[in-house]
Amino acid sequence: VCVCVQFFVELKRVTPPTHTHNPTQVLEFSNSGRVIRVRLPLNAFSKNPGGTMFGGYQACLADPIPAFMCVRVFPNYWVATRHMEIDFRHAARADLELRFEVSPEKEEEIRQELVEKGRSTPTFKFAMHLPDGQIATEVTNTVALRPIGYVKPRSKKADAFDTMDA
């Protein structure tokens, strides 16, 4: 998580902890984060014993991308990843390029929901591509946008659990 925060605050090359060669690189960051392209290298640190990229290495990059866009576009809301699914379609035997883009329609849908409900939980789909353009990994990421200071109401079930003797 710390790496991802540093990555997006600086918006330039970032070296994950203990990864000192061939760092992740921002290729494009435009329209306040509505369009993001990032190169994720296949190197000695990202390879599994089979010679392909670790799934967790990909997940670390994919996790904060939609949340970061939402923080930039909807700055008066608390934002966090709520749910993420990753579909590893093809083995990543080379560098990957993450491509994320939000349409004006999706942005308007989120904005309308924030006006109507005061919160939104949008889902974004994006992918990591092999050098030939083929999708290696497809990501579905759901983000929670809540008013700043929002505290989730406690359920009766949670209250009952909290009062149980250990």
Side-chain angles (χ1 to χ4, degrees):
V1 174
C2 180
V3 171
C4 298
V5 170
Q6 179 184 359
F7 171 75
F8 294 113
V9 169
E10 296 177 11
L11 295 177
K12 59 182 177 181
R13 290 177 5 139
V14 170
T15 304
T18 72
H19 298 204
T20 57
H21 299 12
N22 202 12
T24 303
Q25 184 178 21
V26 176
L27 302 172
E28 180 179 3
F29 181 87
S30 60
N31 202 9
S32 293
R34 291 170 181 93
V35 178
I36 300 173
R37 289 186 317 114
V38 180
R39 182 177 140 296
L40 189 60
L42 179 65
N43 57 35
F45 299 105
S46 64
K47 277 185 191 176
N48 62 32
T52 63
M53 193 176 294
F54 279 112
Y57 200 77
Q58 296 174 54
C60 180
L61 175 64
D63 175 33
I65 298 284
F68 180 70
M69 182 281 302
C70 289
V71 165
R72 303 274 301 194
V73 176
F74 307 103
N76 298 321
Y77 291 88
W78 175 85
V79 180
T81 300
R82 171 110 183 170
H83 180 81
M84 185 169 73
E85 292 180 21
I86 300 179
D87 181 5
F88 301 104
R89 293 179 171 203
H90 297 283
R93 298 186 193 287
D95 293 357
L96 294 178
E97 182 180 306
L98 181 144
R99 298 176 190 166
F100 175 84
E101 188 167 350
V102 177
S103 70
E105 295 80 18
K106 182 72 168 182
E107 183 180 339
E108 184 54 35
E109 176 185 314
I110 296 166
R111 195 174 307 285
Q112 193 63 32
E113 194 169 20
L114 290 171
V115 168
E116 292 172 4
K117 298 179 180 178
R119 58 189 272 173
S120 182
T121 310
T123 297
F124 301 90
K125 289 189 179 240
F126 55 100
M128 296 186 203
H129 299 258
L130 292 164
D132 66 2
Q134 185 177 26
I135 293 175
T137 307
E138 188 171 70
V139 180
T140 304
N141 186 311
T142 302
V143 175
L145 285 91
R146 304 294 185 261
I148 293 176
Y150 173 83
V151 176
K152 182 178 180 178
R154 296 186 60 133
S155 69
K156 290 180 183 180
K157 186 176 181 178
D159 289 338
F161 180 76
D162 289 343
T163 60
M164 290 176 61
D165 293 329

